[in-house]
Amino acid sequence: MVVGGVGQLWQGDLDLGRRAVEQLAREDLGPGVAVEDLCYGAVQVSWRLDDLRPHGLVVVAAHARGRAPGTVQRRVVEPFEVPPGQARHAVDEALTGYLSVDLLVEVLAAFGALAPETVVIEVEPQTRYPSWDLSPVCEEALARALALVRAEVRRLAALAP
């Protein structure tokens, strides 16, 4: 199983995913659980997951969707087909260095690298400007997101082959 964080480095609340994996990497999440910083690029992450072939993937990130700041949401990602033109566009976007949780999921689906059980834990950011720190709202939301990640790890461990 892989637990990964997606973030935009030092961009305030948008860096939440990286901050989450920093904390989770110091914990014992159980045997066979790899904690990975996935901020380095969607195409490269697809290669890494292709090598690991995890049965479960839990991704934590901040993403603006118009919810109340600090909202924490769990989303199950069902396998889906990405049409060739859309896949090419997603890969082109990923190769520019842009990264978001949606782009990561789309690229992973296009390359067939989504784990059979993929869950995204998402936090609505309050700030989206350069900063070393999370806003107080997202600091609190990070704690709730980490609790959900730990629960997903336990759930997926029980489903492991």
Side-chain angles (χ1 to χ4, degrees):
M1 177 182 340
V2 173
V3 174
V6 174
Q8 296 177 22
L9 302 179
W10 305 290
Q11 296 300 305
D13 292 348
L14 296 178
D15 197 17
L16 182 134
R18 183 185 62 82
R19 300 276 301 273
V21 295
E22 281 180 350
Q23 289 186 35
L24 293 166
R26 294 189 296 262
E27 299 179 20
D28 179 8
L29 295 176
V33 178
V35 177
E36 303 261 335
D37 181 340
L38 306 180
C39 298
Y40 52 87
V43 173
Q44 293 84 353
V45 170
S46 74
W47 297 338
R48 175 75 173 136
L49 293 179
D50 194 46
D51 287 343
L52 295 174
R53 289 284 175 203
H55 75 281
L57 172 63
V58 181
V59 179
V60 61
H63 193 80
R65 298 199 191 276
R67 302 165 292 202
T71 298
V72 179
Q73 185 172 13
R74 175 188 177 271
R75 175 170 54 105
V76 174
V77 178
E78 300 292 337
F80 61 98
E81 297 274 331
V82 181
Q86 185 178 336
R88 189 170 30 260
H89 176 73
V91 169
D92 287 347
E93 229 181 303
L95 292 175
T96 67
Y98 173 73
L99 185 61
S100 72
V101 68
D102 288 347
L103 182 61
L104 176 67
V105 166
E106 189 172 24
V107 169
L108 293 178
F111 284 130
L114 273 176
E117 296 281 338
T118 299
V119 174
V120 174
I121 307 297
E122 221 173 69
V123 174
E124 184 72 24
Q126 182 174 49
T127 64
R128 292 181 267 171
Y129 52 81
S131 172
W132 295 98
D133 301 315
L134 298 177
S135 67
V137 168
C138 278
E139 279 289 350
E140 183 181 307
L142 175 58
R144 293 192 317 273
L146 292 174
L148 280 177
V149 169
R150 292 180 196 105
E152 283 302 319
V153 168
R154 289 190 299 275
R155 184 185 74 80
L156 292 173
L159 297 175

